[in-house]
Structures are given as C-alpha cells and as structure tokens.
Amino acid sequence: DAGVTQSPTHLIKTRGQQVTLRCSPKSGHDTVSWYQQALGQGPQFIFQYYEEEERQRGNFPDRFSGHQFPNYSSELNVNALLLGDSALYLCASSRGSLREQYFGPGTRLTVT
Amino acid sequence: AQSVTQLDSQVPVFEEAPVELRCNYSSSVSVYLFWYVQYPNQGLQLLLKYLSGSTLVESINGFEAEFNKSQTSFHLRKPSVHISDTAEYFCAVSLSGGYQKVTFGTGTKLQVIP
C-alpha cells in the first residue's frame, strides 16, 4: 500500500513564475490538506480539499490555489512567486473527518 | 482559534537519559492532540494522538504523552532515548468535531548525544 506521494521532490523557480505541485493520497483516503513549512518553522495550514471542494483555508493569499480530482489526488498552484514562498510544501491525506493525517515527503520549492 | 506553544526549540540529552518535550495548547473547546516526528529531509510521521478516553497515550517506540486538561498540556516523554530518536518533534492541535484544521507548533529539535 503506497503512502502519500508528492511530485516533484525539488523545484527551483524564479520570482514571478507559477508553480504546480502534485499529491496522491494514501489508498482509501479522500481528504487532502496542504501545508507550507518554512525553514525552522512548523507546518502552516494552506487549505484542505474534500469531494473536489476547498473545505477550509488558512491565512494564505489568493495566489495559492488548489484542485482535487475525482481520484482524490490534488494539486497546489502558486502564482506570482515571491522569494518568501521558498519552503517545503507538504501534502497530508486523511479519511473523512478523521484528524489523523498521513504526510508525504514534501516538495522543496526554492524561489530565486 | 486554537494555538500550540512549544517553548523549547532545542533539547540536547545524553543517550539512555530520560527526556520531556513540552507542549501547551490554547483552546476554549475540546481538542484533539498529536505529536509528529520529522527526520531530516523527510515528511512528518504521526507519533501518537489523543482523541478521547485515557489521558495517557503511548507510541510503539517507547514515547508517551499525557493529556492534562487543567494545565492545557500534552508533554511528550521517553524514559530512555536512543541515538535514532534524534529528530524534530511537532506538537499539533485540532478542535474536536466536524472538519477542523490541524495547527502545529514551531517544533522541538531533540539531539541525542552519544
């Protein structure tokens, strides 16, 4: 049983560009949450998707958007990248309302 | 809104010594509590959780945490640490009921000294 997978593992972008990160949830999970983890910080909640809808959102600007597909996989899109967007982006999946989340290895985004 | 405080950013401890990593939360309603561990260049792994029932919860690798409602704490303990326990540990809280987001603390780096 594959756990949560994310792609790519590393990414380097230039300021102003756009980026798309991808996540496949653990088998049997239908809820995907995205987190941003800056260096030396704890993960910060970006948003959560369930049944292809954004269910909750943290304090992130509209430059951060997402999508969930019918197979429960998800994408995180960030537009107009800023240097401050450099971070490890973590995807976590869970089943329904259960709060036990399983995390992927993350995508390391560097904005230059 | 809920919040989590991990006062210790780094905790050095000698191998086979006991350790306690502190976590305090703030919430006016009932919560779920979690400890996650993050090894270098990896994602987070759930170590243990408190949802309801017994206030003392244990992990398979010897860690335990006790939910103390009166002190709003969920400290993580291990009676004897190993080199392999060197990692960063995150405490997290979520409001119980419904679909609630999980809020993480800033983490505590546990460094086990040989």
Side-chain angles (χ1 to χ4, degrees), chain B residues 80-102:
Chain B
S80 176
V81 295
H82 301 286
I83 293 291
S84 59
D85 293 324
T86 296
E88 189 155 20
Y89 293 79
F90 292 92
C91 183
V93 64
S94 171
L95 300 183
S96 64
Y99 302 101
Q100 303 291 344
K101 70 176 185 179
V102 178

Side-chain angles (χ1 to χ4, degrees), chain A residues 52-98:
Chain A
E52 303 180 51
E53 295 288 331
E54 183 181 292
R55 185 159 65 185
Q56 288 199 62
R57 189 178 184 91
N59 295 324
F60 279 80
D62 292 343
R63 298 186 297 108
F64 290 77
S65 63
H67 188 76
Q68 185 179 35
F69 299 94
N71 66 353
Y72 307 119
S73 67
S74 177
E75 288 182 349
L76 164 66
N77 300 292
V78 187
N79 294 322
L81 284 167
L82 304 173
L83 294 179
D85 295 331
S86 295
L88 180 68
Y89 288 84
L90 296 165
C91 169
S93 72
S94 55
R95 183 167 60 87
S97 63
L98 295 179

Side-chain angles (χ1 to χ4, degrees), chain A residues 35 37 40-45 48 50 55-59 88 90 96-106 108, chain B residues 32 34 36 38 41-46 49 51 88 90 94-107 109:
Chain A
Y35 293 83
Q37 186 178 18
Q41 301 295 318
Q44 297 290 314
F45 177 76
Q48 182 182 81
Y50 173 71
R55 185 159 65 185
Q56 288 199 62
R57 189 178 184 91
N59 295 324
L88 180 68
L90 296 165
S97 63
L98 295 179
R99 229 54 54 74
E100 182 170 341
Q101 298 182 87
Y102 290 78
F103 282 80
R108 174 72 63 185
Chain B
Y32 295 152
F34 309 85
Y36 283 84
Q38 186 175 34
N41 300 313
Q42 294 187 26
L44 279 73
Q45 301 174 29
L46 180 65
K49 62 187 177 186
L51 303 181
E88 189 155 20
F90 292 92
S94 171
L95 300 183
S96 64
Y99 302 101
Q100 303 291 344
K101 70 176 185 179
V102 178
T103 299
F104 285 82
T106 52
K109 290 182 180 177

Side-chain angles (χ1 to χ4, degrees), chain B residues 33-102:
Chain B
L33 292 158
F34 309 85
W35 276 100
Y36 283 84
V37 58
Q38 186 175 34
Y39 298 100
N41 300 313
Q42 294 187 26
L44 279 73
Q45 301 174 29
L46 180 65
L47 191 59
L48 45 77
K49 62 187 177 186
Y50 169 78
L51 303 181
S52 64
S54 173
T55 58
L56 183 65
V57 290
E58 299 177 349
S59 71
I60 58 174
N61 56 354
F63 283 94
E64 65 177 30
E66 186 163 18
F67 170 55
N68 188 318
K69 188 175 181 179
S70 63
Q71 297 188 4
T72 60
S73 68
F74 191 56
H75 300 330
L76 181 69
R77 302 183 182 96
K78 188 171 186 180
S80 176
V81 295
H82 301 286
I83 293 291
S84 59
D85 293 324
T86 296
E88 189 155 20
Y89 293 79
F90 292 92
C91 183
V93 64
S94 171
L95 300 183
S96 64
Y99 302 101
Q100 303 291 344
K101 70 176 185 179
V102 178

